[in-house]
Amino acid sequence: MLHDEYADLEIVRKDLQITDTERDVLISRAITAACRKIDDETGRRFYLDEVASARTFRTRGRVLIDEDGQTLLVDDIGDVGDLVVETGRGNTWTAVTGYELAPENALAQGKPVTGLLLASGSWPTGTGRVRITTRWGWPVKPATIQQAAHLQAMRLYRRSSSPEGVAGSAEWGLIRLPHLDPDVRAMVGPYELPGMA
């Protein structure tokens, strides 16, 4: 399985009851499309970058203030081994220390860090920026997301027999197929970032 794919080609092939490898290209395309659809639906991706990269954030609308301090909401951080947090702008950056990862124990639970808490001090406001260098993504692929990708990939592969989005049987007649399997929608729903539904 490729690092950015959530379903396994061999398992999908087996569940489709295909015993040869002649259609692997079509199945692989369905897996890739299913995975990217899940990414689009949730507003995030469920694999970990291989190398650290920098992202710059404006703080406006990203800082939550409560009795614990100020939490800067960030994209999913899946590994903190290379984590560097800086504030500034342009070519002038200053390292930030003393922050805490939020939610607590996220990485130990196989979930990403989504916030950086400053118990004392504050994140910059106005034109200030925060630059974060880390490995982005999820530390592990959630089993629910893998199952959702598996189901959606099988559905997409089978769409070749219903190219207009309509399927039928003698028992039910013709029905229009939704773009995202209802079971898949239920599985990925809890992972959606706010505003993505």
Side-chain angles (χ1 to χ4, degrees):
M1 181 184 329
L2 297 173
H3 82 282
D4 62 344
E5 304 295 8
Y6 313 140
D8 184 87
L9 172 63
E10 291 182 29
I11 297 172
V12 173
R13 185 191 315 123
K14 180 180 177 187
D15 283 357
L16 287 168
Q17 299 179 347
I18 297 173
T19 55
D20 60 73
T21 59
E22 293 176 13
R23 292 168 274 188
D24 279 3
V25 170
L26 297 175
I27 298 170
S28 293
R29 272 199 238 152
I31 290 171
T32 298
C35 295
R36 299 301 71 83
K37 180 65 175 172
I38 289 170
D39 293 350
D40 291 345
E41 288 290 317
T42 60
R44 56 185 7 151
R45 57 185 170 78
F46 299 91
Y47 59 90
L48 185 62
D49 285 344
E50 293 182 11
V51 297
S53 63
R55 294 184 186 177
T56 303
F57 299 91
R58 294 180 180 197
T59 56
R60 178 182 240 170
R62 286 186 167 268
V63 177
L64 301 178
I65 301 172
D66 61 22
E67 63 276 359
D68 291 331
Q70 293 190 3
T71 302
L72 174 67
L73 302 178
V74 297
D75 296 345
D76 295 336
I77 296 174
D79 183 277
V80 294
D82 297 323
L83 181 61
V84 176
V85 180
E86 302 165 297
T87 59
R89 56 184 283 193
N91 294 325
T92 306
W93 296 93
T94 304
V96 176
T97 59
Y99 57 82
E100 299 173 30
L101 305 176
E104 293 178 347
N105 304 311
L107 295 175
Q109 297 169 2
K111 298 176 181 176
V113 169
T114 57
L116 301 176
L117 169 67
L118 281 179
S120 62
S122 60
W123 294 107
T125 57
T127 60
R129 305 281 189 270
V130 177
R131 181 169 68 185
I132 300 172
T133 304
T134 191
R135 290 175 63 199
W136 303 98
W138 277 57
V140 295
K141 297 171 188 169
T144 307
I145 293 297
Q146 291 182 54
Q147 182 63 24
H150 179 90
L151 290 174
Q152 190 67 19
M154 289 178 38
R155 180 188 184 100
L156 290 173
Y157 176 80
R158 289 182 177 138
R159 281 292 301 270
S160 61
S161 60
S162 59
E164 299 298 321
V166 176
S169 73
E171 193 174 326
W172 300 330
L174 293 175
I175 58 169
R176 179 154 298 281
L177 300 173
H179 293 290
L180 194 65
D181 184 284
D183 291 329
V184 171
R185 184 171 300 287
M187 282 188 269
V188 303
Y191 295 92
E192 289 177 358
L193 288 173
M196 292 304 297

